[in-house]
Each structure stands twice: as structure tokens, then as C-alpha cells.
Amino acid sequence: MLDYTLFFIVRLKLKNLFISILLCVSTFAFADTNFRFRKTDDGTGIYIDKYTGTDIVVYINSYYDGLPVKGIGERAFSGTNVADIVEVYLPETIEWIGISAFSGKRSLRTINFPNSLQIIWYAAFWNCRSLSQINFSYPLHKISWIGESCNMDA
């Protein structure tokens, strides 16, 4: 677990007396061997900020460090530094998939959408040419334009 702590010194002038106060601000980010996580805005869970692994079949646990994994962040699985992922297994805690989360993953064939999934953001699967079918439960609260260059039936 990584915990970044920033320190600030603030000088206050109070009746011709200078007081220095050390402020400590902690930001939350940690990683395991395959993922970099961020805490959700409401603090009730975490989301995957970046996949850093090399596995072609990716299993995401429901909880890391005691917090539920609630989402897949923007471009979390995109980029050239990521393995040619073929399958992704999402846990039942996932509520949203971010913008371009899997875009450009041309080898991605299979992804399960858990019953907890509520939102799929814009271009989440753009240019996922091997992805031919997705299965998900209703009701999704929001599904944006998923992407083009997919051979997908929904």
C-alpha cells in the first residue's frame, strides 16, 4: 500500500506573533502487482486507475485493502503498456466503467458485466475489434456510445 503524505507549513500572524503550523494532507493511492487504485470521491470505495499487469486473462477482486472496487477508471486498460488482454472478469461490486476504459484493446474477446453495473461511459470499448458479444442485466442507468470498430451484439 502506498500512502502519499504532503506537508505544508503555514505561518500565521496573530497579534504580532508569528505561529508556524505544520499541516499534513494525505492523498490515497495504492497498488497491488497488477492495478493502481484511487479512492472514490465519496470515500466509500476504490476504482482502478490503471492496469499495470501483463496477464492476458484479468481477474479483479471485489475488495482491496478492505474497500470495494466500484469502478474502472478512464483509460484504465488502454495504452501500449498494457498486455494484449483477451478476457476480463469484473466483480459484483463494479458500478461503472469509465470513458475509454478498454479502448484500443483489439484482442479483448470476453468481458462479463455484473448485476451491480449501472453506467458504461462514452467509448468504453472503442476499437475492441475482437469483442463480439456482451451480456448485461437490466436496468443500466446509463449507457453511452460504447465505441465503433467493435463486432458487438448486445
Side-chain angles (χ1 to χ4, degrees), residues 3-62:
D3 189 2
Y4 300 101
T5 305
L6 305 173
F7 294 95
F8 297 96
I9 296 177
V10 178
R11 291 194 66 165
L12 300 174
K13 183 178 180 184
L14 204 60
K15 292 187 179 183
N16 295 326
L17 177 65
F18 285 97
I19 300 172
S20 294
I21 300 173
L22 179 66
L23 296 177
C24 174
V25 178
S26 180
T27 59
F28 181 88
F30 68 93
D32 80 348
T33 56
N34 289 323
F35 305 102
R36 186 176 67 206
F37 296 95
R38 296 271 181 215
K39 205 167 200 180
T40 57
D41 289 341
D42 63 6
T44 62
I46 56 176
Y47 66 93
I48 295 174
D49 182 49
K50 192 70 180 168
Y51 177 71
T52 58
T54 58
D55 299 330
I56 61 170
V57 177
V58 178
Y59 295 91
I60 302 170
N61 290 334
S62 298

Side-chain angles (χ1 to χ4, degrees), residues 123-139:
F125 298 96
W126 178 81
N127 209 16
C128 292
R129 295 182 178 185
S130 298
L131 189 59
S132 60
Q133 184 173 358
I134 58 173
N135 298 307
F136 51 85
S137 299
Y138 290 99

Side-chain angles (χ1 to χ4, degrees), residues 38-97:
R38 296 271 181 215
K39 205 167 200 180
T40 57
D41 289 341
D42 63 6
T44 62
I46 56 176
Y47 66 93
I48 295 174
D49 182 49
K50 192 70 180 168
Y51 177 71
T52 58
T54 58
D55 299 330
I56 61 170
V57 177
V58 178
Y59 295 91
I60 302 170
N61 290 334
S62 298
Y63 292 84
Y64 286 90
D65 202 35
L67 294 169
V69 180
K70 291 190 167 188
I72 308 295
E74 182 175 335
R75 300 192 56 76
F77 284 83
S78 299
T80 56
N81 296 344
V82 182
D84 289 324
I85 298 168
V86 176
E87 298 177 44
V88 176
Y89 294 92
L90 302 175
E92 283 296 328
T93 55
I94 293 289
E95 297 175 359
W96 54 271
I97 297 174

